[in-house]
Amino acid sequence: MALNALPTTPQAAFWRGVLASLPVATGIVPFGLITGIAGVKAGLGVLEVTLMSALVFAGAAQLVALQLIGAGASVFFVWLATLVVNLRYLMYSSALAKPLEALSTRMKLLAAFLMVDQNFALALNQYGVLGPRLTPWFYLGIGGVLWLGWVVCTYLGAWLGARLPEAWALDFAVPLCFLVLLVPAVQSRPSLGAALVGGLVSTALMGLPYRAGLFIGAVAGIWVGVWLEQRAAGGEGP
Amino acid sequence: MSGVEFWIVLGGMTLIAFALRYVPLVMLERFNLPPHLQQALRYVPAATLAGLVFPALLAPQGTWALSLENERLLAGLVALWVAWRFKHILLTLGVGMCTLWLLQWLGV
C-alpha cells in the first residue's frame, strides 16, 4: 500500500499532510459556515468576514470577536478576547519549536501563520515516525488545506447568511458551536466548576458595558478551577 | 462598528493571533511557561466557552429566562445531551437547530 509507505522526500511529506488533513477538514466546514453567518449578523460585509478568516485563521477567537463586535464592544475588548481565546497557541508553538526546527526563517513565518489545533496535534503525533526533516512539510500540508477550507467555508457562510431569513434563528448556531467545543473541555470536576461559575457569572453580569461580564466570568471560572484542583491535590484542604 | 474601526480591530487581531503562534517557535531557548500560568490556562476553554454559551441559553433576551417557555434553553439542553453523547459537530448543530424550529413552530 503506497499510502502506508513512509514518505522519503519533503514533497511527499507535504502531500501526506494534505491527505491526512482531509478527514479533519470536514470538521471545520460547519465552523467556517457559522463564522461566515455570524460575521454578516454582526454587521460586517461578506468580503470583510472572509478577509478576517484569511488573516486571523482562528475559529473560536473569530466567533467570540464577532459576537463582541455585534454587541458593540470596544476595540480593546475584542483584542483582549482574541488574546485570551488564542493563549493556547503559546503552548502549541513552544511544543512545535523542536519538530519545526529545520525550516528556514521565512518558512517559519508561514508555519506560525498556519498553526491550528489539528496540525499541531497531527505533526506532534507523527514526529517520531517522520523525523525532523519531513515533519515540517507534513505540518505545512495540513495547514495549507485547512486554511484554504476555512477561507472558502467562511465566504460561503457569509454569502448564505446574507440571504437567509431572520426567522430561521441562525444566530442560535453560534452558541451551539461553542457548546460542541465546551463539552470536551469539561473533563474533570475542577473544569466543570470553572464552566459553571464562568457561565453563571457571565450571565449575571450580562448588562455590563462592553461585554465586560464575559471577562469577569472567565477570570472567576478560571480561579474556581485552579482552587478546586489545588483542593483535590491537598486532600481535605488546609 | 465603523469602517476605520473595523480595520483597527482586524489589524490588532491579526497581529495578536500571529505573535502568539510565532514568538515561542523562533525563541532559541526552549520556551517554557511558568507552571502557575500553565495551570490557569487549562481552565481558559471551559470558563470562556461557558461564558459564551450560558447567556445565550439562560437569558436570550438579555434577562434571566429560566422557564419552559424559553425555547432556546430547551433546544440548548437537547443539543448539550447530543454533544455529550455523540461528540459530533454537525449532529449537534442539526439537532439543536431543528429542536428550536420545532419549538417555535409549536409556539411553546
Side-chain angles (χ1 to χ4, degrees), chain A residues 57 93-94 115 168 195 229, chain B residues 21 25 30 42-43 50 101:
Chain A
F57 191 37
S93 185
S94 47
M115 190 181 297
W168 286 28
E229 185 187 321
Chain B
R21 290 160 159 154
L25 193 65
R30 278 287 272 165
R42 275 206 294 281
Y43 299 105
W101 291 332

Side-chain angles (χ1 to χ4, degrees), chain B residues 53-101:
Chain B
V53 174
F54 280 42
L57 302 185
L58 300 176
Q61 310 294 335
T63 49
W64 291 92
L66 297 174
S67 76
L68 290 176
E69 281 164 34
N70 180 354
E71 293 149 352
R72 292 188 175 216
L73 176 58
L74 296 178
L77 288 174
V78 173
L80 174 66
W81 182 79
V82 174
W84 172 75
R85 177 72 179 75
F86 299 101
K87 298 185 172 52
H88 196 283
I89 304 167
L90 265 182
L91 191 68
T92 308
L93 280 174
V95 171
M97 289 309 297
C98 288
T99 309
L100 181 66
W101 291 332

Side-chain angles (χ1 to χ4, degrees), chain A residues 115-185:
Chain A
M115 190 181 297
V116 280
D117 306 78
Q118 292 90 344
N119 55 359
F120 158 74
L122 286 169
L124 218 59
N125 177 263
Q126 291 295 301
Y127 182 51
V129 182
L130 293 173
R133 192 173 71 98
L134 299 175
T135 303
W137 299 96
F138 174 75
Y139 165 95
L140 289 171
I142 303 167
V145 173
L146 292 177
W147 183 85
L148 203 65
W150 182 244
V151 174
V152 170
C153 289
T154 309
Y155 175 78
L156 289 177
W159 185 86
L160 211 69
R163 277 159 187 78
L164 292 175
E166 203 65 35
W168 286 28
L170 278 175
D171 56 311
F172 189 60
V174 177
L176 287 180
C177 266
F178 290 132
L179 188 67
V180 179
L181 296 170
L182 172 64
V183 168

Side-chain angles (χ1 to χ4, degrees), chain B residues 2 4 13 15 22 24 33 47 52 57 71 73 83 92 97 105:
Chain B
S2 71
V4 180
M13 285 179 72
L15 274 179
Y22 184 67
L33 298 172
L52 293 159
L57 302 185
E71 293 149 352
L73 176 58
T92 308
M97 289 309 297
W105 180 71

Side-chain angles (χ1 to χ4, degrees), chain A residues 179-192:
Chain A
L179 188 67
V180 179
L181 296 170
L182 172 64
V183 168
V186 176
Q187 356 88 329
S188 64
R189 209 175 275 260
S191 55
L192 179 63

